[in-house]
């Protein structure tokens, strides 16, 4: 027994659906053919080429190498409980004496590396104060020296 269709519904056959798809494809094909007929081929358009506009890149010479010097700043705790400072062999007994030296070095050689070699008994307060003063003096490369177990680092002199 066949079920009645609701309100005039028809059955759609597969060949009817394909017919409308083929019609759409042919209409698109005709549209693109007609749209491209009126165009001028690009190879026939005149083009102005400037003969003297060609240039070769010129390599710039690298800037001369400026010899860099490392500045070693050692902080050592004395037996009297004071922190002493040594920069490349020059010794300073107080932080007040060290500050103008760091300011002068920072102006002259602020891009050169400053290496802080902190002794084992130096308080963190002196380390931070020295680091902040070095930054304020203009040093841009501040490094901390490390040590191998049982050995102290020596500055290359």
């Amino acid at each position: 027994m066949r079920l009645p269709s609701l309100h005039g519904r028809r059955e759609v056959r597969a060949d009817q659906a394909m017919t409308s798809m083929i019609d759409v494809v042919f209409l698109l094909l005709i549209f693109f053919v007609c749209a491209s007929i009126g165009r001028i081929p690009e190879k026939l358009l005149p083009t102005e080429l400037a003969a003297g506009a060609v240039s070769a890149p010129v390599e710039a010479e690298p800037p001369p190498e400026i010899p860099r010097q490392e500045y070693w700043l050692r902080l050592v705790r004395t037996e009297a409980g004071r922190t002493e400072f040594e920069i490349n062999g020059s010794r300073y007994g107080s932080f007040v004496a060290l500050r103008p030296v760091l300011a002068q070095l920072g102006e002259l050689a602020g891009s050169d590396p400053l290496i802080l070699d902190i002794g084992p008994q130096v308080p963190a307060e002196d380390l931070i104060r020295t680091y902040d003063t070095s930054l304020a003096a203009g040093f841009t490369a501040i490094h901390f020296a490390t040590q191998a177990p049982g050995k102290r680092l020596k500055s290359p002199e």
Side-chain angles (χ1 to χ4, degrees):
M1 177 168 156
R2 194 170 154 195
L3 294 175
S5 62
L6 298 175
H7 302 288
R9 256 179 106 190
R10 306 182 312 172
E11 287 184 29
V12 178
R13 294 186 320 207
D15 60 339
Q16 286 178 344
M18 194 58 152
T19 304
S20 61
M21 176 64 81
I22 291 172
D23 290 342
V24 170
V25 170
F26 280 130
L27 282 174
L28 287 173
L29 180 66
I30 290 170
F31 170 76
F32 286 121
V33 168
C34 290
S36 65
I37 286 176
R39 296 187 58 188
I40 300 172
E42 291 184 16
K43 64 182 179 182
L44 299 178
L45 295 175
T47 306
E48 296 288 329
L49 295 177
V54 179
S55 64
V58 178
E59 292 185 25
E61 293 182 20
E65 288 288 325
I66 300 172
R68 298 181 73 140
Q69 180 180 353
E70 293 179 343
Y71 294 98
W72 284 71
L73 174 57
R74 289 190 176 82
L75 280 73
V76 181
R77 192 73 167 178
T78 62
E79 293 159 4
R82 291 182 22 230
T83 302
E84 290 188 352
F85 307 93
E86 180 182 329
I87 297 181
N88 287 359
S90 301
R91 202 169 190 93
Y92 302 95
S94 68
F95 192 76
V96 175
L98 176 70
R99 183 177 289 153
V101 174
L102 280 178
Q104 185 179 14
L105 277 177
E107 287 179 18
L108 297 175
S111 63
D112 291 346
L114 176 68
I115 302 170
L116 299 178
D117 187 6
I118 311 301
Q121 301 299 322
V122 175
E125 176 186 351
D126 292 341
L127 163 67
I128 293 171
R129 189 174 180 191
T130 305
Y131 182 79
D132 288 342
T133 305
S134 302
L135 278 176
F139 282 100
T140 57
I142 300 173
H143 306 285
F144 291 95
T146 58
Q147 61 184 3
K151 295 182 180 178
R152 298 280 299 165
L153 290 177
K154 294 186 178 182
S155 65
E157 293 179 5

